[in-house]
Amino acid sequence: MCFSLTLPEQTAFSFSSMDFSHLHVHTQYSLLDGAASIKSIMRNAKANGQKAIAITDHGNMFGVPEFVAEAKKNDILPIVGCEFYLAKGSRFERARSEDAEEKSIFHQLLLAKNAIGYANLSRLSSLAFTEGFYYKPRMDIELLEKYGSGLIATTGCPGGEIQTRLRMGAYNEARAAAAKYL
């Protein structure tokens, strides 16, 4: 299937310091993790006066076309993102950690801030499936460095690298990870 995606110009939206937008939202396309339909998310966002909302499904961007179309219908700025699975080493490695605490992947939430960012999100998603798939579609730091332009990275959820290292008491590694992402 081929589709054309046109993102709205951000200049059409004005925000105040009091505006709130959800930036970490999973839809029914976030397999095993999301249950909310895109239509219900948009309906609730509009009812709550949100001017923008993000889509950040786990490991895929399957819902983006529907998300952007529904946002347009509701006059809400769509923020396209994805909560990627980040391999601890190379995306080409096919090994799992025996230690339940030490998973072989981290979560990394990325948001597109412009058309270049959207193109890079799409590229990262495709490469995670075609080159990095091992139980889940995974990318690695090499890909993030190569295709990081136009993206905003957050520390994401408790499965993120920094939070995981802090939870394990590995404070120096958490600091090093934060410096790496900066």
Side-chain angles (χ1 to χ4, degrees):
M1 178 173 109
C2 186
F3 69 92
S4 173
L5 180 68
T6 305
L7 299 176
E9 293 296 322
Q10 286 189 322
T11 55
F13 294 85
S14 66
F15 295 90
S16 78
S17 62
M18 298 303 293
D19 288 328
F20 174 82
S21 298
H22 284 283
L23 297 178
H24 192 162
V25 179
H26 298 303
T27 73
Q28 78 267 23
Y29 293 98
S30 192
L31 307 176
L32 303 176
D33 195 47
S37 72
I38 289 173
K39 286 183 182 190
S40 70
I41 289 169
M42 290 300 168
R43 189 172 45 250
N44 286 318
K46 189 168 183 110
N48 289 318
Q50 292 183 47
K51 295 179 182 178
I53 193 162
I55 185 173
T56 56
D57 288 329
H58 271 286
N60 77 75
M61 296 174 57
F62 304 148
V64 170
E66 179 185 348
F67 175 77
V68 171
E70 283 298 316
K72 190 174 186 176
K73 284 183 199 172
N74 287 282
D75 198 31
I76 294 174
L77 175 68
I79 302 169
V80 178
C82 184
E83 186 169 352
F84 284 96
Y85 298 108
L86 181 68
K88 287 189 177 176
S90 169
R91 66 190 177 278
F92 298 109
E93 291 174 15
R94 304 292 190 253
R96 292 184 76 125
S97 175
E98 298 298 319
D99 183 357
E101 212 31 54
E102 181 68 25
K103 294 182 180 176
S104 60
I105 58 170
F106 294 118
H107 293 199
Q108 181 59 58
L109 192 124
L110 300 174
L111 302 167
K113 64 180 178 180
N114 53 34
I116 292 168
Y118 175 74
N120 283 331
L121 274 181
S122 298
R123 200 168 280 123
L124 288 168
S125 180
S126 293
L127 291 169
F129 275 98
T130 59
E131 294 182 358
F133 197 92
Y134 182 65
Y135 291 91
K136 295 180 179 188
R138 306 168 310 144
M139 65 169 191
D140 58 16
I141 291 297
E142 177 190 5
L143 286 178
L144 187 54
E145 288 172 348
K146 186 173 182 179
Y147 299 110
S149 182
L151 299 177
I152 298 169
T154 75
T155 53
C157 71
E161 181 173 4
I162 297 166
Q163 301 87 309
T164 298
R165 295 195 186 285
L166 287 172
R167 196 171 47 256
M168 295 174 66
Y171 302 112
N172 290 335
E173 289 89 343
R175 278 190 206 93
K180 171 179 65 179
Y181 289 112
L182 284 176

